[in-house]
Amino acid sequence: MVNRRFQSLCERSLYQSISLLELPGRSLRLLETFLLRPDLAIMVQHLGLDLEWIDSWEVPQEQNPSMLQPDGMKALSLAKNLHSFCLWGVDDWIWEPTQARYRETIFNMKLACLEIPVMSDVKVKWSCTRPRGPDSPPEWDGDLGAEIRKLLQAQPLLEDFALTETAISRETLSSLEDNLQPSDIPKLKSLKATPDVVAAFVSAGPRLKNLNLLLAAWDDFVLSKLSDAPTVARLSVRHYSIRVWYSDEWVWSHLAKVFALFPDAVHLSVAINAGTSSKEVEYAKHYFDKVWLSFVRQRLR
């Protein structure tokens, strides 16, 4: 009796929060466990999964448990008490026509926190692309901005949203800027994304309090988009962080203007992306002095 009670307490503690990012094999085994023990799946409140095991070079097909669905969605749907979810390893689930089961399962979650580490945007033009054969399906030509809105509309309880390693095209940004509504993100308080994506959300998110602006190239276009956001929305931001390259000359020439975007913020964090050599560390120290001077200059205006 004591051992069973101890086991129950341990399981509740162990399964409440699970992160298996970049661990596709262990993610597969966890989904197998959900199918065998649905009572454990219900305990999970915070979950990070890597579903790259659907690719044969990650986990050979013969190693997949016969009871497991090819995409794991049946098992994932058993975790009915998820509040926080992060999905790694599938970058086109939000729009790819063949990934409807991913969308159905994730849309049915009731999440307060959602992180999408990578999202592919077919309209981003890369210098190196995968060749397409004569039998390849036609390239998707839909509106990714509209698909992101559908995801947000399905999560009315969402308070924390992160797009951490996503390059989004100008077409998608324009779609979000033109169509994203406050009713799409009624409770969103925290956002982690590149500055151009943040600009689209700030305009529609008067409740946003915390912004984490990821490493990206700043320019006049991004600054103007953030500056054009409603004043009431920018004044609501209390905490924000930015990450910049110490070699980004544009940022260092306009840093005071960047700091002026959110004048009522009470907490500011600046991370300078530099190497670890002694020379690069010295460069970083020099630029932190610039951060301080720019901040003081902005506050004295």
Side-chain angles (χ1 to χ4, degrees):
M1 182 66 72
V2 174
N3 287 340
R4 288 181 180 178
R5 184 178 180 183
F6 182 71
Q7 179 183 357
S8 177
L9 291 173
C10 288
E11 287 176 343
R12 186 172 299 277
S13 176
L14 289 172
Y15 279 85
Q16 184 176 19
S17 180
I18 301 173
S19 178
L20 298 175
L21 302 183
E22 300 189 45
L23 293 170
R26 292 180 63 181
S27 295
L28 183 151
R29 300 303 165 188
L30 177 67
L31 293 176
E32 179 186 16
T33 299
F34 284 178
L35 291 173
L36 293 169
R37 292 281 307 275
D39 58 309
L40 295 180
I42 292 175
M43 295 180 185
V44 182
Q45 298 182 19
H46 310 280
L47 179 61
L49 280 183
D50 187 336
L51 296 192
E52 280 188 324
W53 53 263
I54 64 173
D55 296 322
S56 59
W57 58 81
E58 290 287 347
V59 178
Q61 191 66 34
E62 62 269 15
Q63 294 183 22
N64 288 351
S66 59
M67 69 181 65
L68 192 62
Q69 298 282 327
D71 59 4
M73 290 300 101
K74 178 181 178 181
L76 185 56
S77 66
L78 296 173
K80 299 181 183 299
N81 290 325
L82 280 181
H83 301 318
S84 174
F85 183 59
C86 177
L87 175 62
W88 185 272
V90 184
D91 63 2
D92 59 359
W93 64 268
I94 196 170
W95 57 263
E96 168 60 47
T98 62
Q99 309 284 24
R101 292 192 63 202
Y102 282 87
R103 291 190 291 278
E104 178 184 358
T105 301
I106 296 172
F107 281 24
N108 284 334
M109 295 176 179
K110 306 302 179 186
L111 299 173
C113 178
L114 173 62
E115 179 177 357
I116 303 177
V118 181
M119 180 192 302
S120 65
D121 187 336
V122 296
K123 294 180 181 178
V124 173
K125 303 304 180 184
W126 301 101
S127 59
C128 180
T129 58
R130 182 182 298 178
R132 299 176 61 82
D135 298 327
S136 300
E139 191 172 82
W140 186 74
D141 193 34
D143 182 351
L144 180 57
E147 301 305 318
I148 293 174
R149 284 191 66 209
K150 290 177 184 176
L151 169 64
L152 295 170
Q153 291 166 354
Q155 301 295 337
L157 303 178
L158 193 65
E159 296 183 1
D160 190 333
F161 186 45
L163 291 168
T164 48
E165 296 183 26
T166 295
I168 289 183
S169 65
R170 287 285 174 91
E171 292 89 342
T172 299
L173 287 172
S174 295
S175 174
L176 287 172
E177 291 166 2
D178 294 342
N179 301 302
L180 191 64
Q181 301 295 321
S183 58
D184 297 333
I185 47 176
K187 294 192 174 184
L188 191 65
K189 297 178 181 178
S190 298
L191 176 65
K192 183 178 183 180
T194 53
D196 49 3
V197 176
V198 168
F201 275 78
V202 168
S203 298
R207 292 178 178 269
L208 279 170
K209 304 294 183 186
N210 307 300
L211 298 178
N212 187 336
L213 284 70
L214 297 174
L215 187 66
W218 284 76
D219 54 25
D220 292 331
F221 174 81
V222 173
L223 181 64
S224 66
K225 287 297 182 182
L226 283 165
S227 300
D228 291 342
T231 301
V232 65
R234 292 191 289 111
L235 289 175
S236 71
V237 175
R238 292 291 181 267
H239 306 267
Y240 75 102
S241 62
I242 63 173
R243 179 178 290 274
V244 297
W245 286 289
Y246 73 83
S247 58
D248 190 333
E249 295 182 3
W250 188 97
V251 166
W252 301 112
S253 299
H254 298 80
L255 200 56
K257 294 181 179 179
V258 173
F259 290 161
L261 290 169
F262 310 108
D264 280 5
V266 297
H267 181 270
L268 165 66
S269 172
V270 180
I272 300 175
N273 216 51
T276 56
S277 70
S278 58
K279 184 176 181 180
E280 288 173 313
V281 170
E282 286 301 316
Y283 278 147
K285 290 180 180 178
H286 167 69
Y287 284 105
F288 274 120
D289 290 338
K290 285 193 172 187
V291 169
W292 171 246
L293 291 174
S294 296
F295 178 76
V296 172
R297 189 179 301 120
Q298 182 270 321
R299 288 296 183 181
L300 291 177
R301 287 182 176 180

